[in-house]
Amino acid sequence: MVSEFDTIKDPKDIAFYAGLILTSLSICQTFSVMYWGRLSDKIGRRPVLLMGLFGDTVTILLFGFSKSYKWALITRCLNGICVGNSPVAKSAVAEMSDDTNRPRMMALLPLSWNFGTVFGAAIGGMLANPVDKYPLIFGNSVIFKEFPYLLPCLVSSCLTLTCLIVGIFKFEETLVINKQTVTPAAGRQQSSSTTEATPLLRQEEENVIVAQQQKQPVVTLGQLLTPTVVHIFITNSLMSISTTMSDQLLPIFAATDPSEGGLGFDTRQIGYTFFVSGFAVLYLQLVAYPRWAQKYGTLMCYKYGLVIMTPYFILVPFLSILAATITSSVMSQSIPESVNKFASDNADNAAAANEEEHED
């Protein structure tokens, strides 16, 4: 998509500008996540999640209408602000569960996220530029010819809109605010001897009201950052950096020409790549990982996962050499065929000319 913008002059700059669009979402999400969390503590989880779904539906659809780099960057930033409420979903899951089922319910969140990330990327790659890919279906579509990346964004918006509708009718508020109510003291009887000087409330009832009006202590950010939290924050941040770099760079790397250090895939081939990897992710998370975690432990699985990822990050760039070799091999095979065809056509033309001359 970025390669088709007029502002991109040098093909080598595509990776930078595409990475900037991808990064803009994460930056806006990071700066808005705290505000969404505080707002959910005040008005509840349900309205915050519904507002985020509505904003996501609108902004991703606007992103599909991008015809300039500036429009794509702005709509992507707006989308990042709207999806900054995703941690609120974790709070909602924690509040609707208990100690008996909370670990299993929390495990569904990363599973659903990975499922959506992989298959969403696959759908996006397969539906991008539908006029050229599926001419029998979209060949006469004016809008998809004008906006070749609108269809995957439209599908994404429809899915999010479905979630919004389900949330409106099915999702119930999970934030419970304990409110004490003042009830008349037991045994209190109204008497006709009360005057204007008689207190309307007894002392114990006044104490209850004063306790309600007292503000809850505010926990500062410094109090939250305990040594354990800092340790988890650093390790998770480093892990997120490596995996996010891989996820975001892989489509750019795959779309880049082999002569420029990429694989030379089109959007459909990139989509197929994510589609195949999606089944691998589902198998690992649903079948393989539970068995390994039970046999070797969670910490050991985490360590071995890091060991496996290290050579993966090192070897992936060298796939470009393999792609360049395959491309050159295909070109070398196609050139002789074209030469032979050209020579055969010339021979046929010469024979026909000789025959006509002989007849004359």
Side-chain angles (χ1 to χ4, degrees):
M1 180 180 184
V2 172
S3 64
E4 298 178 3
F5 291 142
D6 296 335
T7 56
I8 311 301
K9 304 300 181 182
D10 191 349
K12 295 182 179 180
D13 295 335
I14 294 176
F16 171 78
Y17 287 103
L20 187 60
I21 289 183
L22 296 170
T23 306
S24 63
L25 182 138
S26 300
I27 293 176
C28 294
Q29 185 179 11
T30 301
F31 282 102
S32 62
V33 62
M34 298 296 293
Y35 296 98
W36 282 116
R38 292 176 182 175
L39 183 62
S40 69
D41 291 336
K42 294 181 180 180
I43 65 176
R45 318 298 187 202
R46 183 176 183 271
V48 169
L49 290 174
L50 294 180
M51 284 189 293
L53 288 172
F54 176 78
D56 189 21
T57 302
V58 175
T59 54
I60 197 64
L61 185 61
L62 294 176
F63 181 75
F65 285 98
S66 299
K67 296 195 68 176
S68 66
Y69 182 81
K70 184 182 295 185
W71 178 269
L73 186 62
I74 293 175
T75 54
R76 193 65 169 169
C77 290
L78 294 176
N79 185 250
I81 295 175
C82 295
V83 300
N85 66 344
S86 55
V88 178
K90 297 182 180 179
S91 300
V93 172
E95 291 166 350
M96 70 175 63
S97 59
D98 53 38
D99 295 337
T100 60
N101 58 6
R102 184 171 292 114
R104 288 181 296 172
M105 293 183 66
M106 295 298 293
L108 292 176
L109 291 176
L111 176 62
S112 62
W113 177 262
N114 291 331
F115 179 86
T117 301
V118 173
F119 285 96
I123 293 174
M126 295 176 185
L127 298 183
N129 200 0
V131 175
D132 294 338
K133 291 180 181 177
Y134 312 104
L136 295 179
I137 302 176
F138 302 101
N140 297 325
S141 176
V142 178
I143 187 170
F144 290 136
K145 186 176 182 180
E146 182 74 13
F147 303 99
Y149 298 93
L150 176 61
L151 181 59
C153 294
L154 181 62
V155 173
S156 177
S157 295
C158 292
L159 293 174
T160 312
L161 180 62
T162 303
C163 297
L164 176 61
I165 296 174
V166 173
I168 292 175
F169 292 100
K170 294 294 183 180
F171 183 66
E172 298 180 359
E173 181 58 60
T174 60
L175 180 63
V176 178
I177 302 177
N178 294 324
K179 295 182 179 180
Q180 297 179 352
T181 57
V182 180
T183 57
R188 181 178 178 181
Q189 296 179 356
Q190 300 289 341
S191 65
S192 59
S193 61
T194 57
T195 63
E196 290 82 2
T198 303
L200 296 177
L201 299 176
R202 290 188 177 182
Q203 185 65 34
E204 61 270 18
E205 295 171 346
E206 294 178 356
N207 294 337
V208 172
I209 295 178
V210 172
Q212 290 179 355
Q213 295 177 348
Q214 290 179 349
K215 294 182 178 181
Q216 296 292 335
V218 179
V219 180
T220 63
L221 183 61
Q223 293 173 332
L224 290 175
L225 296 178
T226 62
T228 302
V229 173
V230 172
H231 187 193
I232 296 175
F233 177 80
I234 293 176
T235 54
N236 188 57
S237 297
L238 294 175
M239 187 71 178
S240 299
I241 289 174
S242 60
T243 54
T244 303
M245 286 175 60
S246 174
D247 293 341
Q248 306 296 359
L249 287 177
L250 183 58
I252 302 174
F253 170 69
T256 304
D257 191 83
S259 61
E260 300 291 340
L263 300 179
F265 288 1
D266 58 19
T267 54
R268 181 185 297 179
Q269 291 172 324
I270 297 174
Y272 289 155
T273 302
F274 280 101
F275 189 74
V276 173
S277 63
F279 287 100
V281 170
L282 292 180
Y283 172 79
L284 289 174
Q285 289 195 336
L286 295 178
V287 180
Y289 173 72
R291 298 177 182 176
W292 294 341
Q294 185 177 5
K295 185 176 181 179
Y296 302 105
T298 305
L299 181 59
M300 189 60 65
C301 291
Y302 180 74
K303 291 181 179 179
Y304 277 110
L306 295 178
V307 171
I308 295 173
M309 290 175 63
T310 301
Y312 161 76
F313 288 131
I314 296 175
L315 294 176
V316 163
F318 291 96
L319 290 175
S320 177
I321 301 176
L322 179 61
T325 304
I326 296 176
T327 302
S328 61
S329 177
V330 173
M331 291 295 294
S332 62
Q333 292 178 1
S334 60
I335 290 176
E337 293 179 358
S338 60
V339 172
N340 293 334
K341 183 179 180 181
F342 178 76
S344 177
D345 293 340
N346 288 339
D348 293 340
N349 293 333
N354 292 332
E355 184 176 354
E356 290 178 359
E357 183 179 359
H358 178 72
E359 292 177 355
D360 293 339

